[in-house]
Amino acid sequence: MVSKVVFGRGSFNQLSEILAPKRLSMNAPFIYIIDDVFKNNQWLTSRIPLAYDDKILFISTEEEPKTSQVDAIVEDIILTTKELPSGIIGIGGGSVLDLAKAVSIMLTNEGEAKDYQGWDLVKHPAIYHVGIPTISGTGAEVSRTTVLIGPEKKLGINSDFTPFDQVILDSELTKDVPKNQWFYTGMDCYIHCIESLKGTYLNTFSETYGNMSLELCKEIFLDNNLTAEESEEKLMMASWHGGMSIAYSQVGVAHAMSYALAYVLGVKHGIGNCIVFDHLEEFYPEGVKLFKAMKEKHNIMLPQGICADLSDADFDKMTTIALNLVPLWENALGKNWKQIITPKKLKELYQKM
Ligand code: NAD
Ligand code: ZN
């Protein structure tokens, strides 16, 4: 679990006092990994307390984070700092938060990031790392994974060393998220709840968090009586609780299928989940019905026909990647999942998208 959290509008202003006691020496800088959407945003960057050799790395989130990108950032940090950093601070959405987590792990663990994709492969504690979300939904701020696209798969580095040491939840940072992206990443949270609550791995720990998050999602995406501020604060907490819910259960069909879409077509997580979930009535009838109502209420048009030009080889690759995510299928469909979802059936589903 994340050991320290502050919550509240404007809490980003506490960054300096939070970090000060964590500085190890003048030669051990803080490295800020920030979404480059904020590059010319004085409102945010002027509040970053740079001192000594601290530096900012602005990162493009056009593509999802890759293991090779993590390795390159780690190498750059090792070559350009006098000592290992005092801390890594990620400021952005799921992409940047995952990068920050992965970089902090790879600074203290040998080899390449791809070697650690899986469960509990990390040997040494990571560098002190802080997560500051600027868009809500993924739950990356709270989870024990960092999802990366590697040479062979899209898979997380799941470990006890992955969660942030400190998170700052300041909903004001999410105020300028574009509407479509707000919906896609928000729906990631909603889908986490449905997949957790309808899964066979469900337990009371996950259920309580999942229910709380689901109620918040309904309020945010279906009610009319929230102010923008209330909606931003609630989505931040929905994301947190949704993340807590899957931390102790698992995601399901939409995530398995969307991971493969990301790997083969580069479709990003939030929108990919929406594209897939729209076609999953068979598995999540009530969840999909509500999703369609939310989509309609917010006038969201999802891309159609994204698999239309794929070759048989592409479909094979996609179905193989998706079906390799065994815990997701087992959670969604139970121990006999292989009898329910076959490569042929999966291909037919993809062909509808
Ligand atoms: P993202 O981080 O890719 O950001 C989406 C877009 O929103 C980007 O264009 C970004 O520049 C923009 N943006 C972010 N904050 C903004 C702001 N305040 N104002 C304006 N624009 C802003 O998207 P995401 O949906 O948050 O994250 C997706 C990633 O998270 C994927 O790589 C996925 O694999 C990962 N993920 C991780 C976990 C986990 O537990 N670690 C869970 C789910 C998803
Ligand atoms: Zn997700």
Side-chain angles (χ1 to χ4, degrees):
M1 281 188 174
V2 172
S3 27
K4 290 191 174 179
V5 192
V6 291
F7 173 87
R9 249 172 134 82
S11 57
F12 184 60
N13 291 335
Q14 292 173 37
L15 186 57
S16 159
E17 61 184 291
I18 287 170
L19 293 183
K22 298 290 177 185
R23 188 180 291 279
L24 300 172
S25 84
M26 274 162 51
N27 293 331
F30 285 108
I31 310 286
Y32 294 84
I33 298 182
I34 306 184
D35 189 319
D36 71 1
V37 77
F38 295 110
K39 200 164 188 173
N40 298 314
N41 185 322
Q42 280 293 314
W43 175 74
L44 185 126
T45 53
S46 66
R47 290 188 283 162
I48 292 176
L50 292 177
Y52 306 108
D53 295 339
D54 295 352
K55 69 174 168 184
I56 297 182
L57 306 175
F58 284 108
I59 302 288
S60 159
T61 49
E62 212 157 297
E63 292 180 357
E64 294 196 337
K66 298 195 174 53
T67 54
S68 56
Q69 188 183 10
V70 173
D71 297 334
I73 295 174
V74 169
E75 191 178 339
D76 175 69
I77 292 175
I78 288 174
L79 290 177
T80 57
T81 57
K82 297 179 192 122
E83 287 172 18
L84 272 184
S86 295
I88 304 292
I89 299 106
I91 305 179
S95 301
V96 166
L97 296 180
D98 277 355
L99 263 183
K101 292 201 248 183
V103 165
S104 70
I105 289 171
M106 292 313 299
L107 278 166
T108 53
N109 285 274
E110 278 173 16
E112 298 171 80
K114 70 174 168 57
D115 305 336
Y116 296 90
Q117 282 179 290
W119 280 269
D120 301 305
L121 302 170
V122 180
K123 294 183 187 60
H124 306 291
I127 298 266
Y128 172 76
H129 51 303
V130 179
I132 308 179
T134 64
I135 177 170
S136 300
T138 64
E141 66 280 12
V142 71
S143 73
R144 83 188 277 283
T145 188
T146 156
V147 186
L148 301 171
I149 297 194
E152 280 149 30
K153 56 199 169 205
K154 175 173 174 178
L155 186 64
I157 300 180
N158 299 262
S159 85
D160 284 343
F161 303 121
T162 309
F164 286 111
D165 297 294
Q166 167 84 55
V167 169
I168 297 177
L169 296 177
D170 179 350
S171 63
E172 198 176 17
L173 302 180
T174 68
K175 68 182 171 53
D176 297 323
V177 172
K179 171 153 179 226
N180 277 13
Q181 190 63 52
W182 164 80
F183 185 83
Y184 302 146
T185 301
M187 284 301 111
D188 188 24
C189 172
Y190 171 72
I191 295 168
H192 290 159
C193 298
I194 303 295
E195 292 189 323
S196 170
L197 291 169
K198 295 294 169 196
T200 63
Y201 287 8
L202 190 65
N203 51 71
T204 310
F205 184 100
S206 294
E207 189 178 17
T208 47
Y209 282 109
N211 279 332
M212 239 185 316
S213 179
L214 181 59
E215 285 313 308
L216 287 167
C217 286
K218 287 183 193 164
E219 239 186 291
I220 298 157
F221 292 101
L222 290 171
D223 285 359
N224 291 321
N225 34 23
L226 294 181
T227 65
E229 277 188 26
E230 283 168 341
S231 173
E232 286 157 15
E233 293 214 327
K234 284 179 192 253
L235 189 52
M236 200 154 244
M237 286 322 295
S239 173
W240 184 274
H241 294 319
M244 286 299 288
S245 181
I246 46 172
Y248 213 52
S249 61
Q250 200 26 292
V251 283
V253 182
H255 275 74
M257 293 189 69
S258 140
Y259 271 28
L261 275 184
Y263 192 85
V264 175
L265 292 174
V267 178
K268 292 194 70 184
H269 189 72
I271 191 170
N273 279 353
C274 289
I275 293 171
V276 173
F277 199 67
D278 212 22
H279 294 277
L280 297 185
E281 292 94 338
E282 182 185 342
F283 304 102
Y284 306 107
E286 291 158 39
V288 173
K289 196 169 156 211
L290 215 55
F291 169 78
K292 288 185 188 290
M294 294 172 176
K295 198 179 64 160
E296 190 165 327
K297 181 172 165 66
H298 297 286
N299 280 320
I300 302 291
M301 303 296 225
L302 292 174
Q304 306 289 328
I306 58 164
C307 294
D309 298 328
L310 291 185
S311 64
D312 283 344
D314 290 331
F315 278 117
D316 285 349
K317 200 165 168 189
M318 243 161 36
T319 50
T320 306
I321 290 175
L323 292 173
N324 274 340
L325 294 162
V326 173
L328 282 66
W329 294 105
E330 197 179 89
N331 173 47
L333 307 172
K335 291 242 180 291
N336 295 327
W337 63 272
K338 283 190 181 152
Q339 279 147 31
I340 305 171
I341 192 89
T342 58
K344 181 168 170 278
K345 165 116 190 178
L346 203 53
K347 183 176 174 183
E348 283 164 10
L349 274 170
Y350 276 128
Q351 280 169 330
K352 287 191 202 165
M353 292 169 189

